[in-house]
Amino acid sequence: MFVLKLIFRNAFRHRLRSALTIVGVAIAVLAFGLLKTLVAAWYLGVEASSASRLVTRNAISLVFLLPASYQEKIRHVPGVTAVAKGNWFGGVYIDEKNFFPNFAVEPKPYLDLYPEYVLPPEERKAFLLDRKGCVVGRKLADRFGWRIGDLVTLRGTIFPGNWEFIVRGIYQPGRKNTDTTQFFFHWDYLDETMRKTTPRRAGQVGFYVVGLSSPDLAAEVSLFIDGMFRNSLAETLTETERAFQLSFVSMTEAIVVAIRIVSYVVIVIIMVVAANTMAMTARERIAEYATLKTLGFGGWHVAGVVFGESLVIAMAGGALGVLLTFPAADWIGAKLSQFVPVFQVSRETIALDLLAAFVVGAVAGIFPTWRGATINIADGLRRIA
Amino acid sequence: MAIPFSYSLRNLWTRRLTTVLTASGMALVVFVFAATLMLAEGLRKTLVATGSPDNMIVIRKASATEIQSGIDRLQASVVESLADIATGADGNPLFAKEIVVLISLPKRGSDKPSNVPIRGVTTASFALRPQVRLVEGRLPRLGSSEVIAGQSVAKRFKGAGLGETLRFGMRDWTVVGIFDAGATGFSSEIWGDADQLMQAFRRPVFSSLTFKLQDPSAMNATKDRLESDPRLTVEAKRETKYYKDQSEMMATFLSIMGMTLTVIFSLGAVIGAMITMYAAVANRTAEIGTLRALGFRRRSILLAFLLESVLLGLMGGLAGLVCSSFMQFLTISTVNWQTFSELAFSFTLTPGIAVRCLVFSLIMGFVGGVLPAARASRMNIVEALRTT
């Protein structure tokens, strides 16, 4: 009990210094937590993908398309329950700054394959019936103030021209990590327009989303589909939705790695600051440690007092940082909603936050602890003079 | 009278451990600051250097990049019939009809696939891009399934090295040469015969038309003429501007991220400096009292402590800058979102970045030292002398 009391009293003896250190650790933990959350947001598509969906695309690369006739062939593969056509449309709304993902999809099978895009039955029906209709996510609709029945015009970058759509539905997230910044419209609308303007580009599909009756069949079915089209003009590459999403993340891996490294750098920075504080504190109290030893306390006892103080300060900072992380994440999530669709602090991040604070306290305390434990009584007392 | 400069300097020396720890905290912040600025600069520089100011590039209207663009043979020949296109040494016009597509190749080592641009070229392409030099092997023979690879592609991707083969479009393509295009986007590309590639990919349209004018100053007039021609749906740009536009999104992202991180990190470092300086003031209360008793002004004391703190910042700044200058040997390779293709670029240090880093470190030192220095200058002489 006495030791605990001593630790707490010591920790707050220099009120200004302790407060500054605590704030410093809190900022570092906050930055660390936010960076971790940002990295997690990068992997959102991977996390949100389902194990029972496959994506089939052209083996050469994403800019090459597949014939629409593949759909029926894929549908007949044993274990496949549904196939939906899809194309990356790449349309721009007014200005390039207003980026959001937009796809031409086959409405019915696509919505069936993605039950996490929750759409009220009447909106779903209105969308299916209107060939120029589109469905947008909750966040996207809020961002531009779109309501049901609004006319939206996108400028095509891959498919030339101005394309008009009528908002027929706004989907809600079915899960926490569902991306609600996307825009979907009828694949038939795209195809029929292309048939009129550039017939060469009609009947082409960017990717097929394939639904499986059981996730266990993923490997078998992928091999089967790719085998069917081997040595054809458009060879396919079929992988699970997760692997498909992961391939996007791995392309920008260098940036993710950089963010990861930087998130540890901030911890190192604050470790240096805290170590400096503890070193100064210990230097000022050498005489006290010697006095404690004179009174009969052992080296381990003194060491515990110094080490405990370092931990108390660091953990206080860590706790403050964790508390600040939640409002900060909400604020950033609202500000950056166009770049990162979902910005949520996970439980793992909080645990890592606290671990980081603990490590900072422990490392900062090593040198002063060693000094306190090994100080020679006579040397320590001589300092007073 | 001012307190001598050596007083501040020697104070830092006396408390070496603390000085080093505080300065290294700041050094890390400056390092992060410099690294992100250098990264954004490297990206911008690479893409700007890719274009030549005298070249003009034509792509389909509203398509921001060559990858999205498509120009059919009819429109291409309309553009080709422009009267004032420059003539090369061989007597042919300097006019290249090119096709650019992405192919997915696995990386060496990790086996993870990424998008590599493959450019179908003609003889004029080489004359238009003097920065492209063959370093190994030979040029591909026109009309054959031969390609040459840029240095950073050859190094990074499986099958792209000299003598290796790539398989796409139902054919095997032999890499017969490696070219170096310096720090430009071309180093991240594979080049082959345009007609062969169009056949293999079953893609009967060109991606872009690049040409040089006899009179480079006529560029704006030519641009207007092409864009107002009713037979064409194209846009024409100076090549440098075309490539600069491609760096915009990524460079902005990198700068914003770098700035945000640095501001947060610098708070930590400033707090570190503040703690150090407060301790320096507290330890030297009697000393400050003595100085005051000797007749030094409050202002001089304020200045001496501020100077000490700014020196601390400068040391950190220099150390951070020296560390970050070693980053110039590193090359980063990532997918540029705008073109969706892999691009290799390196950290680039410019004098402007160095100055910004040093100014930033001085500011950190100043902000950290101003409150403790004010406390030191406000001390009462008698009370300060009484403390032992």
Side-chain angles (χ1 to χ4, degrees):
Chain A
M1 255 342 271
F2 166 73
V3 175
L4 274 184
K5 198 171 167 191
L6 189 64
I7 287 173
F8 274 95
R9 280 282 172 88
N10 265 339
F12 297 101
R13 216 159 73 177
H14 270 283
R15 239 171 271 138
L16 180 70
R17 182 187 293 173
S18 306
L20 283 173
T21 316
I22 287 175
V23 171
V25 175
I27 290 172
V29 165
L30 177 66
F32 180 74
L34 292 178
L35 287 171
K36 276 260 172 271
T37 311
L38 183 65
V39 170
W42 220 278
Y43 284 91
L44 172 78
V46 180
E47 292 301 318
S49 56
S50 155
S52 60
R53 286 193 292 251
L54 300 178
V55 178
T56 301
R57 54 170 164 137
N58 193 305
I60 301 179
S61 80
L62 272 173
V63 299
F64 290 95
L65 308 177
L66 295 169
S69 59
Y70 280 16
Q71 185 172 28
E72 286 311 310
K73 292 187 185 156
I74 297 173
R75 204 200 304 278
H76 286 116
V77 174
V80 171
T81 54
V83 186
K85 300 191 205 85
N87 269 64
W88 169 259
F89 181 65
V92 173
Y93 179 62
I94 304 173
D95 191 86
E96 260 134 47
K97 282 196 196 87
N98 300 328
F99 173 82
F100 54 84
N102 38 72
F103 299 92
V105 298
E106 215 177 345
K108 198 171 165 336
Y110 196 82
L111 288 177
D112 288 344
L113 278 167
Y114 286 87
E116 61 262 43
Y117 301 151
V118 181
L119 208 56
E122 64 278 6
E123 288 182 13
R124 181 187 158 101
K125 202 175 157 205
F127 171 57
L128 293 183
L129 289 177
D130 182 3
R131 196 150 275 201
K132 284 177 95 173
C134 67
V135 168
V136 300
R138 171 83 271 161
K139 271 193 183 167
L140 185 64
D142 290 347
R143 185 167 148 214
F144 296 113
W146 292 338
R147 293 208 201 114
I148 305 279
D150 280 3
L151 185 79
V152 175
T153 307
L154 298 188
R155 177 160 50 84
T157 55
I158 303 171
F159 304 94
N162 284 326
W163 301 68
E164 287 181 348
F165 306 97
I166 295 159
V167 179
R168 288 300 178 196
I170 295 174
Y171 70 83
Q172 309 285 344
R175 277 191 308 221
K176 248 185 178 176
N177 54 10
T178 304
D179 181 356
T180 58
T181 64
Q182 303 181 76
F183 181 108
F184 300 106
F185 65 93
H186 286 247
W187 187 82
D188 286 338
Y189 178 34
L190 176 71
D191 194 53
E192 277 161 22
T193 316
M194 290 320 286
R195 205 170 287 281
K196 267 182 258 164
T197 55
T198 12
R200 175 177 67 76
R201 299 181 66 190
Q204 293 191 312
V205 178
F207 56 87
Y208 289 102
V209 182
V210 180
L212 296 175
S213 55
S214 147
D216 305 335
L217 296 172
E220 246 177 279
V221 173
S222 323
L223 282 177
F224 194 96
I225 294 177
D226 290 348
M228 272 196 305
F229 305 112
R230 179 151 305 135
N231 280 324
S232 72
L233 284 180
E235 295 190 341
T236 59
L237 172 66
T238 306
E239 49 194 358
T240 57
E241 195 188 12
R242 191 183 164 83
F244 177 68
Q245 296 283 358
L246 205 57
S247 71
F248 285 92
V249 176
S250 74
M251 284 178 195
T252 46
E253 205 171 32
I255 296 179
V256 179
V257 170
I259 296 179
R260 282 230 173 95
I261 294 175
V262 157
S263 71
Y264 291 109
V265 169
V266 69
I267 295 299
V268 174
I269 292 177
I270 212 63
M271 216 181 260
V272 171
V273 169
N276 186 21
T277 315
M278 283 314 294
M280 281 190 304
T281 308
R283 193 161 49 224
E284 285 163 16
R285 299 202 193 136
I286 287 292
E288 281 170 38
Y289 299 152
T291 315
L292 276 176
K293 281 196 174 172
T294 320
L295 290 176
F297 289 101
W300 283 109
H301 227 103
V302 176
V305 169
V306 185
F307 198 69
E309 184 181 343
S310 179
L311 277 186
V312 163
I313 291 180
M315 290 313 278
L320 184 64
V322 167
L323 283 180
L324 289 174
T325 305
F326 291 98
D330 283 346
W331 183 77
I332 290 176
K335 283 269 158 203
L336 290 184
S337 62
Q338 61 181 108
F339 300 114
V340 275
V342 176
F343 199 79
Q344 232 150 19
V345 185
S346 68
R347 222 173 279 162
E348 191 199 339
T349 305
I350 297 300
L352 278 173
D353 273 354
L354 292 175
L355 181 69
F358 180 83
V359 172
V360 167
V363 172
I366 289 176
F367 178 67
T369 306
W370 176 75
R371 281 289 292 277
T374 56
I375 183 83
N376 190 308
I377 296 181
D379 282 345
L381 287 176
R382 197 179 294 143
R383 285 281 185 104
I384 294 177
Chain B
M1 210 191 111
I3 297 175
F5 178 66
S6 58
Y7 173 77
S8 303
L9 207 59
R10 290 175 77 163
N11 266 323
L12 287 175
W13 181 247
T14 317
R15 300 174 304 134
R16 268 161 302 212
L17 179 69
T18 301
T19 303
V20 167
L21 283 176
T22 317
S24 51
M26 290 194 187
L28 276 171
V29 177
V30 171
F31 177 76
V32 172
F33 183 61
T36 49
L37 286 182
M38 282 161 68
L39 201 58
E41 182 62 30
L43 174 72
R44 203 174 287 141
K45 228 179 185 154
T46 301
L47 280 172
V48 169
T50 306
S52 319
D54 288 346
N55 286 356
M56 206 164 184
I57 181 166
V58 172
I59 51 175
R60 193 189 58 218
K61 201 173 190 146
S63 61
T65 62
E66 286 171 290
I67 310 282
Q68 293 167 336
S69 158
I71 299 173
D72 58 40
R73 287 181 184 272
L74 198 71
Q75 293 199 20
S77 50
V78 171
V79 180
E80 201 174 7
S81 66
L82 276 173
D84 44 359
I85 289 171
T87 313
D90 58 354
N92 289 321
L94 288 174
F95 187 94
K97 294 180 278 192
E98 297 178 342
I99 170 174
V100 182
V101 292
L102 299 177
I103 58 170
S104 177
L105 289 182
K107 285 188 183 162
R108 291 186 200 274
S110 71
D111 220 25
K112 282 182 186 154
S114 194
N115 292 330
V116 179
I118 175 157
R119 184 181 293 272
V121 296
T122 60
T123 15
S125 302
F126 291 94
L128 284 164
R129 276 78 174 230
Q131 64 270 55
V132 174
R133 282 186 308 108
L134 200 68
V135 286
E136 259 182 279
R138 57 179 173 84
L139 290 178
R141 276 195 310 264
L142 292 183
S144 67
S145 299
E146 292 176 345
V147 293
I148 49 173
Q151 250 176 345
S152 57
V153 175
K155 227 185 302 166
R156 246 175 263 277
F157 288 93
K158 270 192 186 158
L162 189 65
E164 291 182 285
T165 55
L166 297 163
R167 171 137 190 111
F168 53 82
M170 295 177 81
R171 283 203 218 169
D172 287 313
W173 303 76
T174 316
V175 182
V176 296
I178 306 290
F179 66 90
D180 173 28
T184 70
F186 295 128
S187 297
S188 307
E189 290 184 355
I190 296 175
W191 285 18
D193 179 6
D195 289 320
Q196 292 302 312
L197 288 168
M198 283 166 85
Q199 286 266 338
F201 290 131
R202 267 82 187 167
R203 208 176 150 107
V205 292
F206 298 108
S207 302
S208 66
L209 312 171
T210 309
F211 56 89
K212 197 178 246 174
L213 291 175
Q214 278 163 4
D215 174 16
S217 61
M219 213 172 255
N220 283 334
T222 312
K223 177 184 163 74
D224 291 342
R225 222 168 92 202
L226 289 175
E227 288 179 1
S228 58
D229 192 322
R231 294 169 295 174
L232 303 173
T233 46
V234 297
E235 57 186 293
K237 281 181 186 174
R238 194 184 284 269
E239 210 183 28
T240 34
K241 182 174 183 316
Y242 167 79
Y243 282 106
K244 195 171 162 235
D245 289 348
Q246 290 189 353
S247 71
E248 216 158 75
M249 192 163 137
M250 195 89 159
T252 314
F253 172 80
L254 289 175
S255 315
I256 292 179
M257 197 174 80
M259 283 294 171
T260 323
L261 289 178
T262 316
V263 167
I264 299 177
F265 287 14
S266 63
L267 283 176
V270 164
I271 285 174
M274 225 183 240
I275 295 171
T276 308
M277 289 312 293
Y278 267 127
V281 172
N283 286 343
R284 276 184 263 155
T285 310
E287 205 174 297
I288 295 165
T290 316
L291 284 170
R292 293 271 287 125
L294 287 174
F296 284 107
R297 299 264 173 173
R298 284 176 195 278
R299 210 180 325 131
S300 314
I301 298 205
L302 181 83
L303 216 62
F305 277 90
L306 258 186
L307 203 63
E308 194 174 321
S309 171
V310 169
L311 274 176
L312 206 55
L314 186 67
M315 272 162 46
L318 284 175
L321 206 55
V322 168
C323 292
S324 63
S325 67
F326 287 106
M327 297 289 279
Q328 289 186 91
F329 297 112
L330 264 181
T331 303
I332 278 234
S333 151
T334 184
V335 161
N336 184 358
W337 293 313
Q338 259 160 309
T339 54
F340 216 65
S341 46
E342 184 96 1
L343 180 74
F345 54 97
S346 39
F347 291 83
T348 310
L349 186 63
T350 61
I353 293 178
V355 169
R356 268 156 85 185
C357 287
L358 287 182
V359 168
F360 178 70
S361 65
L362 292 181
I363 292 175
M364 276 200 296
F366 181 84
V367 173
V370 73
L371 285 177
R375 171 185 280 191
S377 72
R378 279 204 312 267
M379 270 179 194
N380 183 301
I381 302 183
V382 182
E383 274 175 23
L385 282 173
R386 198 177 288 146
T387 50
T388 44

